[in-house]
Amino acid sequence: MVFHVLAIPVYPTRREITICPFTQKVYKFCKAMTGRGHTVFHYGHPESKVECTQHFNVVSVETYNKVYGKKSWRDFHHQTIKNEVHEEFNKNAATLIKKNKQSPNDFVLAFWGIGHAPACEELKDFHVVEPSIGYDSAFAPFKVFETYAQWHKMLYKINPKGLPSFTDHVIPPGFDFKDFKYNSQKENYMLFLGRMVDAKGLSIAQQLSKACSFPVKFVGPQNLKNTLEKDNPHAEYIHTVSHKERQELLSKAKFLIMPSLYAEPCGWALIEALASGTPVLSTDWGGLAEYNQHGKTGFNCHSLNEFYHAVHLVETINPSYCRKYAEENFNIDLVMKMYENYFKHIMDYNQHEKGIIKENCRFLKK
């Protein structure tokens, strides 16, 4: 198969840029699919470092620095899609993709959703796919969601009648488990890992730490605005960490706290914690409720009181079960096979031949 992968204009595609899950989606997809023998063309920032068949620069360093300055990748860059970087990126990417077309079945993968829509408007003779929707908009004819929760949430946004489509699917995020350190012996701290914004439930994590006199590490971009008062004697406030530091923090935490106040489309940190053998205490909606098995990999809570009691039950969660569950459901090889089957489904799908029986099927392990 041939994939034209549109990178995230906001950051170069590199392994260490953990602050942006969308950048990580691009990095992992390119690496895995190239390793599986597919042709992968990557379109992105000149300082990208990613395994692929061929990389193409579609935005200049000069334009990038003009818009985003020379801030560290550890700082959270603004997410607006209306700026010179996105304009230059989309214009150049569309031109190059048309030149690089290999066959009528080439795929264009818009990992940044509507941020890539201007480029995809010029590529209607390709299979245009949004391959990992973890946001609240969609434009492509073919869509993959990270959870059923997000797909169901989006039905009325992508179809006025709220009707699902046979070309929309759910494929969970995939992880290489060599990137995580399994540890059954935990240290005495809870870990908050993510964007430092109120919607992520910062106040709940803070109140819980104080109520239990339990150490908490708030790890994430400290340059974001929030109402969190840094007055907790049990708390550490740590700016965005490296891949290695993240690995250590996840493996040693007593549990990960994810008290998001909105319906998370997925919640990658949850899966990363389970891969490390670390239980998760989360709210009970969205992707968190779908992937956090209550009483098995952690607890899904509806109030501060429930979080409080979950802290005292967290040692009943078996770290080895957390790891096993993650390996069985989010292994990168398994997930890439799901994508391959989905792309075959798209190539076979014909609005006028829905009744035709074909030899291949995504259920078959070929």
Side-chain angles (χ1 to χ4, degrees):
M1 297 183 196
V2 179
F3 302 110
H4 301 269
V5 179
L6 294 167
I8 311 309
V10 181
Y11 296 100
T13 305
R14 302 176 70 101
R15 180 175 185 264
E16 65 267 23
I17 299 180
T18 56
I19 194 171
C20 177
F22 295 97
T23 297
Q24 287 300 303
K25 291 178 188 185
V26 171
Y27 176 86
K28 291 193 290 184
F29 183 94
C30 289
K31 179 182 177 182
M33 286 304 198
T34 302
R36 294 174 75 87
H38 300 288
T39 298
V40 179
F41 296 132
H42 174 269
Y43 303 84
H45 190 286
E47 294 177 2
S48 296
K49 190 175 181 180
V50 57
E51 292 180 36
C52 59
T53 306
Q54 191 171 354
H55 162 79
F56 296 92
N57 296 332
V58 293
V59 64
S60 68
V61 173
E62 291 74 22
T63 302
Y64 184 86
N65 288 343
K66 178 182 176 182
V67 172
Y68 297 110
K70 295 185 178 181
K71 294 192 297 185
S72 165
W73 66 264
R74 295 171 187 257
D75 295 324
F76 192 80
H77 297 182
H78 58 82
Q79 305 290 287
T80 179
I81 61 174
K82 295 185 181 300
N83 57 38
E84 289 180 55
V85 166
H86 284 74
E87 291 172 8
E88 186 176 305
F89 183 107
N90 284 314
K91 180 181 178 181
N92 291 338
T95 300
L96 283 167
I97 289 171
K98 284 185 277 190
K99 288 181 179 179
N100 293 335
K101 187 174 183 179
Q102 306 291 301
S103 77
N105 277 320
D106 282 21
F107 289 89
V108 173
L109 305 183
F111 277 94
W112 196 225
I114 58 172
H116 288 146
C120 296
E121 277 294 313
E122 301 182 38
L123 303 169
K124 292 183 178 178
D125 56 342
F126 291 76
H127 297 305
V128 177
V129 181
E130 287 180 82
S132 187
I133 296 177
Y135 41 82
D136 290 342
S137 60
F139 75 93
F142 305 116
K143 307 172 190 69
V144 176
F145 298 85
E146 288 191 316
T147 60
Y148 282 94
Q150 184 66 8
W151 184 16
H152 296 164
K153 175 184 174 183
M154 290 287 293
L155 282 178
Y156 280 95
K157 291 191 176 185
I158 59 182
N159 186 306
K161 294 183 179 180
L163 299 176
S165 166
F166 282 121
T167 59
D168 293 345
H169 280 286
V170 172
I171 299 176
F175 296 85
D176 185 340
F177 286 86
K178 294 192 294 291
D179 291 340
F180 301 96
K181 182 185 292 185
Y182 171 74
N183 194 341
S184 61
Q185 302 302 311
K186 304 299 184 180
E187 295 183 6
N188 196 46
Y189 66 88
M190 72 173 93
L191 177 65
F192 177 98
L193 182 63
R195 286 183 293 125
M196 294 289 291
V197 294
D198 292 337
K200 288 285 188 179
L202 289 172
S203 63
I204 292 177
Q206 183 86 299
Q207 291 176 66
L208 185 63
S209 169
K210 290 179 177 179
C212 299
S213 299
F214 201 96
V216 58
K217 296 179 187 288
F218 287 100
V219 180
Q222 301 294 318
N223 63 314
L224 289 172
K225 291 183 179 180
N226 57 60
T227 60
L228 184 69
E229 294 186 11
K230 296 182 178 180
D231 61 351
N232 182 358
H234 308 292
E236 292 180 64
Y237 307 92
I238 304 168
H239 196 46
T240 311
V241 294
S242 69
H243 178 79
K244 282 290 183 184
E245 292 170 311
R246 186 184 184 94
Q247 183 185 77
E248 290 295 320
L249 286 164
L250 282 164
S251 70
K252 293 178 181 177
K254 182 78 75 175
F255 60 90
L256 179 75
I257 178 77
M258 290 193 73
S260 297
L261 301 177
Y262 66 102
E264 290 264 10
C266 180
W268 274 32
L270 183 154
I271 301 166
E272 293 175 322
L274 301 183
S276 309
T278 299
V280 179
L281 306 191
S282 70
T283 39
D284 194 22
W285 40 67
L288 301 180
E290 188 167 328
Y291 288 151
N292 191 18
Q293 293 188 314
H294 185 74
K296 293 183 176 180
T297 61
F299 296 96
N300 302 320
C301 305
H302 286 257
S303 66
L304 178 61
N305 182 57
E306 289 190 2
F307 274 107
Y308 178 88
H309 289 285
V311 170
H312 297 89
L313 292 171
V314 76
E315 290 190 1
T316 65
I317 302 298
N318 187 339
S320 65
Y321 178 84
C322 294
R323 174 74 178 203
K324 182 173 181 289
Y325 166 74
E327 288 177 333
E328 289 178 350
N329 291 278
F330 308 105
N331 180 283
I332 189 73
D333 291 329
L334 169 67
V335 169
M336 290 302 113
K337 183 61 179 175
M338 291 180 182
Y339 273 111
E340 288 170 338
N341 288 338
Y342 173 69
F343 294 132
K344 289 176 185 174
H345 171 69
I346 295 304
M347 287 190 286
D348 287 342
Y349 191 82
N350 187 311
Q351 287 284 70
H352 304 293
E353 295 181 352
K354 291 183 180 179
I356 299 298
I357 304 300
K358 298 177 182 287
E359 290 184 2
N360 65 300
C361 169
R362 68 189 181 96
F363 302 143
L364 302 179
K365 298 179 179 179
K366 292 185 179 180

